[in-house]
Amino acid sequence: MAGEHFSRAFLNQVELGRTLPSTRTLQIIAERLQRPIEYFLEDPEVSAPAIELTLTEGQSRLIRGDGEGARGLLEKLLARAIPLEARTRAQLLLADVHLKARRMPEAMDLLQPALEVAERASWKAIAAEICDRLGSAHYLARRRHEAARWFDRALAAYEASGLTDPALHARIQGHRANIHYVSGEIQEAITAYQAAISAADPILDLPGLAGIYDGLALAFQRNGQLRGALNYAQRSLRLFEMVRDVRMSAQLRNNMADMLLQQGQPVEAQRLFDEGARQLEGIADRELLPILLAGGAEARLEQQDLGGAAALVARAVQVAPASSDPLAAIASLRVEGRVAHALKDTARSRAAFDQALALAAGLQNADLHARVSYDYARTLSEQGDAAQAAARFREAYEARVRRAGLTP
């Protein structure tokens, strides 16, 4: 590269940062390396390759379950003066970190301004991605009507822009299918999940496809087709383990174990609950852990292992306050009520069920309300309190009817 213009020793001094080249020398170096002069004037920490590497590493850490590591990298990147498109992509990825930790307000604070920038700049794929994430934020906050609006907007943006990203298309369709599922439109959900699967390319987006399989498993379960549910849950589990998404792998074990428990297979259910709990304890994740511990306790209760059930549900109740998901407290209290009843501790059983019912009623989740009410009714009946048992059975029935969209 030195040629006739300068010596190799001089280039070595430039390379080591001991000599500053003149503008003319820099121009010659740039021409011979086929790079613009601006390439040599960038801060190496915010150069285009460095930015891409940071975004890739952030995504990789998030998939591995290291959300806080990803958050630190991205916040450091956003504190620098970087190009607007890279900033928008970093905000989108940081929002993913917050969504995974169920910090919905923080995610929305990043996504709203990012969407305005993406739409002004006509970054169509990024805009569709952001609309999809805003739908996810509202979905996690249990605002399904608002979530549906954003998912529809994401799909409209995708289709109107002529995009050809099958992974993004399938992910949006899968999220819209989730809305059908939670709205009780089971056949529509199954149809939508199957359409999403046909559009997905597993090589491009393993986590997205695994999420679709998971949703399809839940839809089949709710429709009473447990064999199909377990089949898709197994597929989803294998894909999530391929990408080392620890939390989602544990979530799938929980879903599969719950199905098996309902099928009267507590031994296999216990194994899955315990495996999922160990996975989460390995990454110090407390969000889903109480639900898995409670599930393991219930599986032991079905096998008449009262000591094991009592020990595990006590742990579930202890760690539940560390979870931001109200389902964790409800699951722990419901199983505590069942275990306390089996141990003849009537007062503790009723107190636990009363707390679980109050929390379930506040969530407006008919399925959950029905499950807690029904379990409470069974324990009251066995305790000889026929009047209270009848009231709870009625409460469970009315919750089931509400879920089906009928009038009691």
Side-chain angles (χ1 to χ4, degrees):
M1 190 179 71
E4 61 183 20
H5 291 91
F6 27 77
S7 68
R8 287 181 293 176
F10 171 77
L11 278 180
N12 181 249
Q13 294 298 303
V14 172
E15 195 173 38
L16 293 174
R18 295 173 182 169
T19 298
L20 292 176
S22 66
T23 303
R24 176 57 186 156
T25 299
L26 185 57
Q27 186 177 7
I28 294 170
I29 294 172
E31 288 172 355
R32 291 180 180 172
L33 289 176
Q34 298 181 345
R35 293 284 189 274
I37 287 181
E38 290 77 10
Y39 175 84
F40 301 95
L41 302 178
E42 289 179 327
D43 179 342
E45 291 191 8
V46 291
S47 66
I51 291 170
E52 291 303 320
L53 284 170
T54 301
L55 291 173
T56 301
E57 176 62 16
Q59 179 73 58
S60 176
R61 290 192 183 192
L62 182 60
I63 289 173
R64 295 197 307 266
D66 183 12
E68 287 308 303
R71 180 180 182 179
L73 276 178
L74 295 166
E75 288 180 344
K76 183 179 178 182
L77 180 62
L78 287 168
R80 296 180 173 277
I82 59 176
L84 195 55
E85 183 176 0
R87 177 170 296 278
T88 305
R89 290 168 58 206
Q91 288 173 320
L92 175 59
L93 185 51
L94 183 55
D96 280 339
V97 173
H98 287 308
L99 287 175
K100 198 157 190 178
R102 293 182 174 269
R103 295 188 290 261
M104 282 73 82
E106 291 90 336
M108 291 184 194
D109 287 345
L110 287 163
L111 292 168
Q112 289 285 5
L115 179 60
E116 294 175 9
V117 171
E119 289 181 333
R120 280 199 306 268
S122 294
W123 297 328
K124 297 173 182 178
I126 296 177
E129 289 265 15
I130 295 172
C131 289
D132 179 63
R133 297 307 194 282
L134 281 163
S136 295
H138 286 286
Y139 181 80
L140 290 171
R142 296 185 172 82
R143 295 192 286 267
R144 72 170 185 267
H145 297 298
E146 189 68 10
R149 185 175 72 83
W150 280 108
F151 290 142
D152 288 345
R153 184 169 168 180
L155 184 62
Y158 180 93
E159 293 176 342
S161 304
L163 296 172
T164 56
D165 181 348
L168 174 59
H169 196 192
R171 191 158 61 248
I172 295 170
Q173 286 181 317
H175 288 157
R176 293 176 79 244
N178 287 341
I179 298 297
H180 287 300
Y181 173 74
V182 299
S183 300
E185 301 160 356
I186 303 306
Q187 194 53 53
E188 292 88 342
I190 290 174
T191 300
Y193 281 127
Q194 289 172 331
I197 287 171
S198 69
D201 184 336
I203 296 174
L204 287 176
D205 189 12
L206 285 175
L209 183 61
I212 292 168
Y213 280 151
D214 182 35
L216 189 55
L218 291 174
F220 271 110
Q221 178 193 6
R222 188 164 171 180
N223 214 31
Q225 298 169 262
L226 291 178
R227 179 174 295 179
L230 287 168
N231 178 277
Y232 277 107
Q234 287 281 9
R235 294 189 197 183
S236 181
L237 176 60
R238 285 195 295 271
L239 288 176
F240 274 118
E241 289 184 329
M242 284 173 66
V243 296
R244 299 181 62 78
D245 191 327
V246 176
R247 189 175 192 280
M248 281 307 305
S249 180
Q251 174 73 69
L252 289 167
R253 280 185 162 81
N254 179 74
N255 294 345
M256 291 169 62
D258 198 43
M259 294 176 203
L260 290 167
L261 200 56
Q262 291 180 47
Q263 283 190 303
Q265 300 182 52
V267 175
E268 184 63 15
Q270 177 183 322
R271 180 182 67 80
L272 289 168
F273 280 130
D274 291 352
E275 286 176 358
R278 282 195 296 271
Q279 284 183 306
L280 293 181
E281 288 176 322
I283 61 170
D285 188 316
R286 296 291 181 266
E287 284 294 297
L288 183 63
L289 181 59
I291 297 175
L292 282 153
L293 292 173
E298 192 163 30
R300 286 167 171 80
L301 180 63
E302 294 298 326
Q303 299 171 72
Q304 304 303 313
D305 178 8
L306 297 187
L312 215 55
V313 79
R315 285 187 60 210
V317 170
Q318 182 181 16
V319 299
S323 173
S324 63
D325 188 347
L327 298 182
I330 296 169
S332 302
L333 289 166
R334 181 184 66 80
V335 178
E336 183 187 27
R338 289 197 63 198
V339 172
H341 168 67
L343 293 170
K344 312 299 184 186
D345 190 342
T346 301
R348 186 158 66 91
S349 174
R350 294 194 179 199
F353 272 121
D354 285 337
Q355 286 181 265
L357 266 183
L359 291 171
L363 287 183
Q364 298 182 343
N365 183 321
D367 274 334
L368 187 62
H369 196 169
R371 186 171 186 179
V372 177
S373 299
Y374 181 73
D375 282 351
Y376 196 2
R378 289 173 58 200
T379 63
L380 289 167
S381 178
E382 291 173 9
Q383 291 166 9
D385 192 340
Q388 284 295 321
R392 296 307 177 196
F393 276 126
R394 176 69 184 178
E395 191 174 351
Y397 165 73
E398 290 177 350
R400 293 285 185 188
V401 170
R402 283 198 306 276
R403 188 201 72 181
L406 302 174
T407 301

